[in-house]
């Protein structure tokens, strides 16, 4: 079957299993050419990113609103929360031909659109900008997995961008990297739980796995006796002050789900 999408002809063929396979990923709004990706989803390709992370298709932003986000971020000369809000608003203004969603998470999740990702119309973007501008960092805990699963559940979501400044809250007695995984009813690492859920839903919904990009908001650089250390969650590095390695949960989450982890500089 041949159909036209924008200026391209797309071909759909039936497999021996009786399912349809899309031969041109443009039908889903994603290509393998990064240079053309951001032009199709943003009015200005130069600013089609958030802290350097490119937007490539229908996207859900997960924003940490735990109280630690009120901490001053020296690199941006503002609080972590205000830095994220300013960057996200700038990007939302630039979105076009795309569906988008924002979910604030902490001990509970608060979605911008109750019915899931919505088209980037001027009306929806205006609603989103007002909603984001009123976000505050007030939640006592950091539980991202419910919000991650909710984003993966959406048939339209192709990309998740998660921003956080710390480790997810864990219960006393669990190992440092373990959290409760609802769909396996077990305790395991976040990246393992989310990755298996992503695989499960992609099979159930008949779509590609959702790409997950992560953005780590680091602690301010700390120095003592000539030794400096910046705590971030993309890479596991030895903290010289307590002789422990940082938990690179965000790096593992993104690498296991086709994305990348970026540390704000």
């Amino acid at each position: 079957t041949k159909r036209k999408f924008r200026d391209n002809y797309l071909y759909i063929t039936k497999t021996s299993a009786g399912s349809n396979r899309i031969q041109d990923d443009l039908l889903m709004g994603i290509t393998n050419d990064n240079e053309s990706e951001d032009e199709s989803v943003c009015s200005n390709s130069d600013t089609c990113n958030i802290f350097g992370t490119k937007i490539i298709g229908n996207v859900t932003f997960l924003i940490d609103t735990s109280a630690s986000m009120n901490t001053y971020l020296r690199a941006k000369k503002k609080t972590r929360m205000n830095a994220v809000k300013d960057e996200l608003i700038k990007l939302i203004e630039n979105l076009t031909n795309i569906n988008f969603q924002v979910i604030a998470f902490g001990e509970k999740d608060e979605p911008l659109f109750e019915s899931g990702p919505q088209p980037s119309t001027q009306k929806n973007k205006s609603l989103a900008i007002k909603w984001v501008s009123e976000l505050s960092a007030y939640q006592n805990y950091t539980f991202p997995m419910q919000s991650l699963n909710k984003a993966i559940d959406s048939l339209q979501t192709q990309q998740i961008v998660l921003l956080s400044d710390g480790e997810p809250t864990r219960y006393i007695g669990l190992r440092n990297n373990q959290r409760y995984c609802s769909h396996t009813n077990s305790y395991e690492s976040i990246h393992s739980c989310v990755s298996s859920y992503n695989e499960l839903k992609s099979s159930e919904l008949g779509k590609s796995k959702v790409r997950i990009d992560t953005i780590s908001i680091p602690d301010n650089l700390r120095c003592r006796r000539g030794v400096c250390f910046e705590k971030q969650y993309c890479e596991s590095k030895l903290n010289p002050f307590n002789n422990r390695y940082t938990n690179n949960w965000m790096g593992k989450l993104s690498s296991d789900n086709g994305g990348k982890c970026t540390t704000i500089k």
Side-chain angles (χ1 to χ4, degrees), residues 153-167:
D153 284 343
S154 170
L155 181 61
Q156 294 179 335
T157 300
Q158 299 165 326
Q159 179 184 19
I160 293 171
V161 178
L162 180 148
L163 301 97
S164 181
D165 70 337
E167 291 186 50

Side-chain angles (χ1 to χ4, degrees), residues 5-258:
F5 178 77
R6 296 180 187 158
D7 295 324
N8 300 280
Y9 282 101
L10 313 177
Y11 297 85
I12 302 176
T13 59
K14 183 174 290 187
T15 67
S16 58
S19 62
N20 287 340
R21 180 167 180 265
I22 300 172
Q23 297 294 333
D24 190 330
D25 282 339
L26 279 171
L27 186 58
M28 295 295 292
I30 294 180
T31 71
N32 292 322
D33 181 0
N34 287 337
E35 294 303 318
S36 62
E37 285 168 354
D38 47 12
E39 292 178 1
S40 66
V41 300
C42 291
S43 57
N44 184 344
S45 60
D46 293 334
T47 55
C48 196
N49 69 83
I50 179 167
F51 296 116
T53 297
K54 286 186 177 181
I55 306 307
I56 62 169
N58 295 333
V59 61
T60 294
F61 300 99
L62 303 184
I63 308 299
D64 185 348
T65 53
S66 59
S68 61
M69 289 287 286
N70 288 317
T71 306
Y72 189 75
L73 182 60
R74 188 176 300 171
K76 299 297 180 182
K77 298 181 179 180
K78 60 186 75 173
T79 66
R80 299 172 183 180
M81 190 76 255
N82 284 339
V84 171
K85 287 161 63 173
D86 291 347
E87 190 84 357
L88 185 54
I89 286 172
K90 182 175 66 175
L91 176 58
I92 290 173
E93 291 174 334
N94 189 30
L95 295 178
T96 184
N97 300 322
I98 188 175
N99 289 351
F100 73 104
Q101 168 74 298
V102 185
I103 301 176
F105 71 89
E107 57 199 283
K108 60 181 180 179
D109 56 11
E110 300 175 330
L112 162 62
F113 301 118
E114 291 294 340
S115 56
Q118 298 296 309
S120 55
T121 62
Q122 192 56 52
K123 178 181 178 181
N124 285 337
K125 290 195 292 183
S126 295
L127 288 171
I129 290 168
K130 181 177 185 299
W131 187 88
V132 170
S133 68
E134 295 173 352
L135 281 177
S136 61
Y138 72 95
Q139 302 206 54
N140 294 320
Y141 302 102
T142 306
F143 296 127
M145 287 211 285
Q146 179 178 339
S147 300
L148 281 161
N149 288 351
K150 181 175 289 187
I152 291 170
D153 284 343
S154 170
L155 181 61
Q156 294 179 335
T157 300
Q158 299 165 326
Q159 179 184 19
I160 293 171
V161 178
L162 180 148
L163 301 97
S164 181
D165 70 337
E167 291 186 50
T169 305
R170 65 187 175 95
Y171 295 106
I172 296 174
L174 290 180
R175 294 179 181 177
N176 189 47
N177 67 337
Q178 287 188 328
R179 303 296 185 277
Y180 178 68
C181 184
S182 59
H183 73 281
T184 63
N185 193 29
S186 63
Y187 291 92
E188 55 188 275
S189 65
I190 290 174
H191 67 92
S192 173
C193 177
V194 174
S195 297
S196 63
Y197 189 73
N198 202 358
E199 288 276 7
L200 177 66
K201 297 307 290 188
S202 68
S203 177
E204 288 181 359
L205 298 174
K207 67 169 187 174
S208 299
K209 282 181 62 177
V210 177
R211 171 181 172 134
I212 302 178
D213 292 292
T214 54
I215 300 174
S216 177
I217 305 172
D219 284 341
N220 290 322
L221 190 67
R222 298 180 182 181
C223 298
R224 185 191 302 167
R225 298 178 182 176
V227 178
C228 297
F229 179 76
E230 180 184 65
K231 194 171 185 180
Q232 48 75 35
Y233 301 93
C234 286
E235 301 175 14
S236 182
K237 293 184 178 181
L238 181 66
N239 185 335
F241 304 142
N242 60 17
N243 204 37
R244 296 178 181 176
Y245 283 91
T246 55
N247 181 3
N248 59 332
W249 71 276
M250 297 178 76
K252 290 180 178 179
L253 178 62
S254 57
S255 64
D256 279 9
N257 293 278

